[in-house]
Amino acid sequence: LLQFCQPGERVVVVLERALEQPAVWLAALKAGLIYAPVDPANPRERLEFIFGDLQPAILLTHKSLLPLLPAGAFRVLCIDTTDERATLASLDAGHLQFDPPRDAPSSLFYTSGTTGVPKAAINGFRGLDNFAEYLRRGFDFGPGDRVLQSSSTGFDGSLFDFVVALQCGATLVLAPPEQMRPGPGFTRMLTEQRISTCLLTPTTLRSSPPPAPPVMRVLFAGGEPLTVDLLQRWSPGRRVMNVCGPTECSLWYQGEE
């Protein structure tokens, strides 16, 4: 990324759920860039607004998604093409001699805003560091855990998945889309993949039977009110955290057990 932009510049990332997504986030983090993921399923009008407001230095995407995206004065990197993969493979794979300032911005997510117009919310490196420490101290996440990438990549909750894996040392699990649909199949996947934790909405919890412990030893529920009946159904044998907070608060500002 530093071949094409400078620390502090914005990198817009438009990818389907893919292995490259956490790698791009980690690369942007190490390079001191502002990671700005955008869901390719957004309506064209919203995409045009976001791209115009964001003014990115570079777009990282897949070639198949290019026709859906606005054009602009930014470098386009299709990371799934043969030429780009060859270019990436030829670059120095050594450690970067750069440590981003902890007060610098690290990520940018667009929310709906109170008026319905997309609103940019920026978070910094220090907030991510504090969030990772909260997860390590409060839940003892580490190399023995497995976290499911459960959130849409354009949603700030996806950073929970990445932080548990890449800053706490857990294994990040990407499941096929058909296994992510709420229901018995979703629960079976959690069990087969030995998932330790993930962030789920109460809607998903309501449609899926709880797996037997020790699967999902810590459940984070957010995005909607967590009702008493769901809590009673999912809490036996595991910790359940009801989390909330605006995007500006480095994912959430309150978690009640």
Side-chain angles (χ1 to χ4, degrees):
L1 291 174
L2 290 176
Q3 304 292 317
F4 313 112
C5 43
Q6 299 297 316
E9 291 190 303
R10 298 172 178 184
V11 179
V12 62
V13 182
V14 186
L15 298 171
E16 302 284 4
R17 289 170 57 87
L19 289 171
E20 294 95 341
Q21 189 87 30
V24 168
W25 173 73
L26 185 60
L29 205 66
K30 284 179 170 290
L33 303 169
I34 301 175
Y35 168 80
V38 177
D39 191 335
N42 276 314
R44 176 74 183 199
E45 182 180 358
R46 182 180 175 91
L47 288 172
E48 289 178 349
F49 176 88
I50 290 174
F51 273 61
D53 183 67
L54 188 60
Q55 294 295 300
I58 185 171
L59 162 66
L60 271 72
T61 188
H62 288 151
K63 187 176 181 180
S64 61
L65 297 176
L66 268 183
L68 306 176
L69 305 177
F74 44 77
R75 172 76 157 80
V76 177
L77 183 63
C78 292
I79 58 178
D80 59 337
T81 63
T82 302
D83 289 346
E84 296 290 15
R85 285 186 179 275
T87 299
L88 293 172
S90 69
L91 297 175
D92 182 9
H95 293 293
L96 294 178
Q97 302 301 313
F98 177 71
D99 186 19
R102 306 329 287 167
D103 291 326
S106 64
S107 60
L108 186 155
F109 288 84
Y110 278 87
T111 68
S112 295
T114 55
T115 64
V117 176
K119 173 189 174 186
I122 299 179
N123 285 298
F125 287 90
R126 191 179 303 279
L128 281 179
D129 291 344
N130 292 341
F131 186 63
E133 187 65 17
Y134 154 77
L135 293 173
R136 283 191 292 263
R137 288 188 183 185
F139 308 97
D140 197 29
F141 289 133
D145 289 300
R146 294 168 64 85
V147 57
L148 177 68
Q149 185 180 336
S150 56
S151 300
S152 163
T153 54
F155 173 52
D156 64 333
S158 62
L159 288 190
F160 165 80
D161 312 333
F162 298 164
V163 169
V164 173
L166 301 176
Q167 287 188 270
C168 297
T171 297
L172 182 65
V173 178
L174 279 72
E178 61 272 14
Q179 295 183 10
M180 294 297 295
R181 300 188 187 102
F186 179 74
T187 301
R188 185 165 53 252
M189 178 272 295
L190 294 177
T191 302
E192 291 174 350
Q193 293 296 331
R194 309 187 311 281
I195 301 300
S196 306
T197 188
C198 63
L199 174 62
L200 298 175
T201 64
T203 295
T204 297
L205 299 178
R206 189 172 300 281
S207 304
S208 307
V215 174
M216 288 292 293
R217 69 176 183 88
V218 186
L219 165 63
F220 293 88
E224 305 163 11
L226 179 63
T227 57
V228 173
D229 64 308
L230 286 178
L231 181 60
Q232 291 174 336
R233 185 152 65 94
W234 277 81
S235 60
R238 61 179 52 87
R239 297 177 67 180
V240 178
M241 299 296 298
N242 186 24
V243 298
C244 62
T247 302
E248 290 85 349
C249 293
S250 294
L251 278 72
W252 58 72
Y253 70 89
Q254 180 177 346
E256 184 174 355
E257 186 166 3

